[in-house]
Amino acid sequence: MKRHLISAGDLTRDDALLVLDTAEELARVSERSIKKLPTLRGRTVVNLFYEDSTRTRISFEAAAKRLSADVINFSAKGSSVSKGESLKDTALTLEAMGADAVVIRHGASGAPHRLATWVRGSVVNAGDGTHEHPTQALLDAFSMRRRMGRIDGLKVSIVGDVLHSRVARSNVLLLHALGAEVTVVAPPTLLPVSVDTWPCQVSYDIDAILPKSDVVMMLRVQLERMNAAYFPSAREYSRRYGLDRERFARLHDDAIVMHPGPMNRGMEISAEVADSPRSTIVEQVANGVTVRMAVLYLLLSGSEPAIGGDL
Ligand code: CP
């Protein structure tokens, strides 16, 4: 693996499989009463969050702690960022405190890439603007493989606000590398111009795509990033693109439903579908800890003894 994880495109197929297989081993530790491993003792992981997060921030913290790393949690709110301190100066301050890895979430696409030029430690992208969220894609792939037994050849449909979604881009890149056939489904107004260059099919018609899908990944409508009218109303969006009971009934019996969270229940997904046994939404959160443990382990432990030695 490379020193940083900034894009899902940084991962070769073998890198991605190594993360998923390592996470599978680490999942066994998570089932124990004592979940901690000494693997990253003496290492420091900084969680640098400029945007709100529940799942990603908490799971990176849990992952680092389960590997015995020292963890520093930095939230832009309440820090010297409010006095105008730049990302570079903040990064250099954290570097001076001995960060071996910096996990960054930032509203600006490209911020983790810039950060990687300023710090000596590994940089992990925990979501940058509308660009990428590679560890979300890894945990989604891990969850998919656990439920379906494979990724290669799966028909995966990613539905909704693709335009503002860093999850969609990372998933398309990773799932394509792992052999899935990916289709993104959205109204034309919620697709980026660059989607033609992505390794996936594009559709505007959810009802045509659902019966052919093994996995349906619903995306949150990111109202907070919308500075224009992308659809007539929430009700109209839900009617045209929401996964409700009627649409769910058109999926084949083994198909699963995913969502990265947080959800707009009743908009892109109905509560009934979100809470169904064929939804992986809660599993995705639990799997986020083990997958992020695997990422931190592989980035920070390098050529140290195989993980199996600690298990
Ligand atoms: N899926 C995801 O990134 O969730 P958070 O914004 O809560 O971290």
Side-chain angles (χ1 to χ4, degrees), residues 49 52-57 105 126 133 136 166-167 220 260-262 292:
F49 277 67
D52 294 343
S53 168
T54 299
R55 280 149 284 271
T56 312
R57 187 176 56 77
R105 170 166 290 192
H133 195 351
Q136 178 70 45
R166 49 201 178 203
V167 174
R220 183 169 69 86
R292 287 171 175 132

Side-chain angles (χ1 to χ4, degrees), residues 4-306:
H4 308 295
L5 178 54
I6 292 175
S7 161
D10 292 339
L11 299 167
T12 63
R13 177 185 162 84
D14 285 348
D15 289 336
L17 289 173
L18 178 63
V19 174
L20 302 190
D21 293 344
T22 304
E24 205 61 67
E25 287 188 65
L26 289 163
R28 297 208 306 271
V29 178
S30 301
E31 286 159 13
R32 294 182 192 164
S33 53
I34 297 172
K35 299 178 168 55
K36 212 154 177 154
L37 288 170
T39 319
L40 295 185
R41 193 181 289 148
R43 308 292 180 96
T44 300
V45 174
V46 174
N47 290 322
L48 182 58
F49 277 67
Y50 283 79
E51 267 193 348
D52 294 343
S53 168
T54 299
R55 280 149 284 271
T56 312
R57 187 176 56 77
I58 292 173
S59 62
F60 265 114
E61 181 175 354
K65 285 181 173 169
R66 284 191 195 171
L67 293 170
S68 302
D70 295 321
V71 181
I72 298 172
N73 289 315
F74 173 97
S75 169
K77 281 181 196 143
S79 75
S80 289
V81 171
S82 61
K83 300 174 200 161
E85 189 162 39
S86 68
L87 174 62
K88 181 172 183 177
D89 287 334
T90 305
L92 295 178
T93 301
L94 298 170
E95 174 93 337
M97 292 178 188
D100 295 293
V102 181
V103 176
I104 178 171
R105 170 166 290 192
H106 202 286
S109 300
H113 181 76
R114 293 292 290 149
L115 182 66
T117 65
W118 297 323
V119 297
R120 281 187 297 272
S122 292
V123 172
V124 183
N125 181 0
D128 62 327
T130 58
H131 179 226
E132 284 224 36
H133 195 351
T135 60
Q136 178 70 45
L138 284 164
L139 77 87
D140 291 340
F142 181 81
S143 305
M144 223 176 271
R145 193 174 72 165
R146 280 201 140 188
R147 275 281 187 125
M148 308 299 281
R150 67 191 169 103
I151 295 173
D152 198 28
L154 281 183
K155 291 184 169 53
V156 181
S157 301
I158 302 177
V159 182
D161 184 1
V162 179
L163 179 67
H164 300 103
S165 177
R166 49 201 178 203
V167 174
R169 189 190 308 265
S170 290
N171 261 296
V172 167
L173 292 174
L174 185 73
L175 292 171
H176 171 73
L178 291 171
E181 294 172 33
V182 185
T183 303
V184 294
V185 186
T189 50
L190 288 178
L191 285 168
V193 174
S194 63
V195 76
D196 291 345
T197 65
W198 295 12
C200 64
Q201 302 293 313
V202 178
S203 172
Y204 310 128
D205 186 351
I206 184 172
D207 293 310
I209 293 297
L210 286 183
K212 304 179 202 162
S213 304
D214 300 308
V215 177
V216 180
M217 186 183 294
M218 301 306 294
L219 298 174
R220 183 169 69 86
V221 178
Q222 299 195 34
L223 297 166
E224 77 279 14
R225 294 191 203 274
M226 292 186 184
N227 52 9
Y230 291 89
F231 44 82
S233 67
R235 191 186 166 113
E236 178 65 4
Y237 178 88
S238 187
R239 194 181 69 76
R240 292 288 308 277
Y241 286 94
L243 187 59
D244 57 12
R245 188 203 314 200
E246 288 72 33
R247 287 202 169 104
F248 183 67
R250 286 183 221 138
L251 293 172
H252 70 69
D253 290 347
D254 298 326
I256 58 169
V257 175
M258 307 183 76
H259 193 302
M263 290 178 272
N264 296 309
R265 283 178 183 255
M267 192 168 181
E268 70 264 4
I269 189 167
S270 71
E272 193 178 357
V273 174
D275 298 333
S276 97
R278 282 160 58 197
S279 154
T280 63
I281 295 168
V282 176
E283 281 160 50
Q284 285 170 261
V285 176
N287 292 337
V289 178
T290 43
V291 167
R292 287 171 175 132
M293 285 172 78
V295 167
L296 292 174
Y297 166 77
L298 291 166
L299 290 177
L300 294 183
S301 281
S303 57
E304 284 175 20

